[in-house]
Amino acid sequence: MLTTSPRRSRRTTVTVAAAAAVALLAGCSAGPGETSGGEFTGEYDGPAVTLSFWNGFTGGDGPFMQELVDQFNEEHENITVESNTMQWSDYYQRLPAAVTAGEGPDVGVMHFDQLGSNAARQVIMPLDDMAEQLELSADDFTEAVWDAGVYADERYGIPLDIHSLAMYYNTEHFEAAGITEPPTDAESFQAALDALQAAGYETPFWMPSRWPAHLMFLTLDWQHGGEPYAADGTAATFGDEAGVQSLEWMRSMVEQGYSPADVAQDAQYVAFKNGETSITWDGIWQFNDLDASGLPYAAAPIPAIGGEQAAWASSHQFFLPRQEDPDRINAAKVFIAWMSEHSADWAQAGMIPARQSVRDEGALEGTPQEPLAESLDAMRFIPTTPGIGTVQTETVEVAVAEGVLGQGEPAAVLEAAQGTATQLMEENLEAFGE
């Protein structure tokens, strides 16, 4: 999870760190436009190599990734992949310095919103040549997830999956309340909440003030027709009318008594898992945990509260750090290509394979995420802008918490946060040389 710190001190740290990272890395490799290694044929016949694979799959998804790595190793005599798994926050902090010191991974996977920062810092290499040689194109992906791997007109990420926010509901509670279908819009969602309360479930939808509250807010913002950020990464726009309507709706869940006040981070998920509440919005990465709990539940797309079907989404994407050894680069490309082709198995981790061709082969058949994959075109991504993760932590997450807790009017807290976010984005663009 992300944490916050005083705005001014954190902002200064981020800007200085970004500038320092650019300065350190600028001289160690060629700049944007270079190709990643030599000609790639899809096979590796060089000397035996052992590749370090960095990832942050520390939860229930970890064993599934390790199974894939083990299978790859069994099928490749001259390539051995060793996983180095750590918390995502540690991962993103360590990566730039490790690559600079020549102690980074040979291949890795990261969230798409980290690609821009690491590309601008010249930590990772363009992969346009690899995508072309593998004949990977937008035809096999949704436009949003394919474009999410691009920064400054160059491809830095090969999409592995899509993971979004979803609506989970307790099927026993729904049956007791006489609800036969999951709600799909504002009217049916309100009717479901009223029916659940009438059936004795006093607070059927807990509204958190922290994680994943800002993901819920972004979802609602898109549903109301808004865009939280300018596409070119120059400004925040989440404080417009769409944003205000979104945060007002979130606060209304508390004011109307559907949620307790002051729901702490992840408390809404724990309450749902324990049967204390009937509906929650959370990431699809919770499927395996809920299955293990034995809770009677089902999942559906987030209802179109704002009128338009939309949901926050993210994507794990493979990347290559900057390195010089062509054998290791090409062996790493073989690994990425193999993992992309075998991403059907990754669906067992609760994710949606990014490739349409993989999904068409039945990768999601019978899985909880199958109905969600029918709404892939409604899944939205924030821009791949350097430093966007920190911007969100410092601004929109704080504003959403204040609004949900009733510590400020939604319009006022969003306006203040939007101004700070735009200033941070401008500073980041300047620091990264744009």
Side-chain angles (χ1 to χ4, degrees), residues 244-311:
V244 173
Q245 289 179 324
S246 301
L247 190 51
E248 287 178 342
W249 184 87
M250 294 174 72
R251 175 62 188 168
S252 76
M253 293 295 100
V254 179
E255 293 176 339
Q256 295 182 61
Y258 298 125
S259 169
D262 197 5
V263 176
Q265 179 171 302
D266 279 335
Q268 92 292 340
Y269 175 71
V270 175
F272 178 75
K273 185 176 171 181
N274 293 334
E276 299 175 64
T277 188
S278 306
I279 303 173
T280 195
W281 296 359
D282 212 308
I284 65 173
W285 50 82
Q286 304 287 18
F287 282 131
N288 286 322
D289 186 51
L290 288 174
D291 287 343
S293 74
L295 183 80
Y297 82 97
I302 301 289
I305 302 298
E308 182 178 342
Q309 192 67 53

Side-chain angles (χ1 to χ4, degrees), residues 51-57 65 81-86 88 91-92 95 99 104-111 115 123-125 127 130 156-160 316-323 328-329 332-333 335-337 339:
L51 303 179
S52 174
F53 169 47
W54 282 25
N55 66 83
F57 300 124
M65 177 55 69
V81 174
E82 293 182 347
S83 295
N84 186 354
T85 304
M86 64 194 85
W88 287 114
Y91 181 120
Y92 295 134
L95 183 66
V99 172
D106 298 295
V107 60
V109 64
M110 64 172 58
H111 294 93
L115 291 170
V123 174
I124 59 179
M125 305 171 71
L127 295 172
M130 179 181 176
Y156 287 89
I158 300 296
L160 169 64
H316 296 116
Q317 306 225 353
F318 286 104
F319 70 91
L320 288 180
R322 292 194 178 270
Q323 52 193 310
R328 306 183 76 82
I329 291 174
K333 288 179 177 179
F335 175 67
I336 294 175
M339 294 293 280

Side-chain angles (χ1 to χ4, degrees), residues 354-365:
R355 295 179 68 162
Q356 179 67 48
S357 56
V358 172
R359 297 194 301 273
D360 288 345
E361 293 173 355
L364 295 174
E365 189 173 341

